[in-house]
Amino acid sequence: MPRYFFDRKDGGFDPDEDGTELRDLNAARIEAVNFAAGTIKDRPDYVWDGKEFSVEVSDANRLLLYTVVVLGIDSPAVKDHPAT
């Protein structure tokens, strides 16, 4: 089975040193979304800290295949009223 790497970027860079064996590219896409969802579930501040949160998926050669980006954007109605 091919190995895929899921690197987290959240203002810094947290590389996946081990990777995960998955059956195909579609399985890697699904895992990327699940990884991003699990991360922001545990750390919702990643979405609202003003930095882009993303998960980059690469293959065994470290060729970038996919990027999942999660970004919270305030509407104009709340820009002058930050969360407390």
Side-chain angles (χ1 to χ4, degrees), residues 42-77:
D42 294 337
R43 295 291 311 266
D45 56 303
Y46 282 168
V47 176
W48 298 110
D49 68 0
K51 299 179 190 120
E52 184 176 280
F53 169 75
S54 64
V55 176
E56 294 183 343
V57 182
S58 57
D59 66 10
N61 296 316
R62 296 305 243 168
L63 175 67
L64 181 62
L65 303 171
Y66 310 116
T67 303
V68 175
V69 178
V70 180
L71 179 63
I73 301 171
D74 290 334
S75 76

Side-chain angles (χ1 to χ4, degrees), residues 48 74-84:
W48 298 110
D74 290 334
S75 76
V78 297
K79 284 196 182 275
D80 294 330
H81 305 283
T84 56

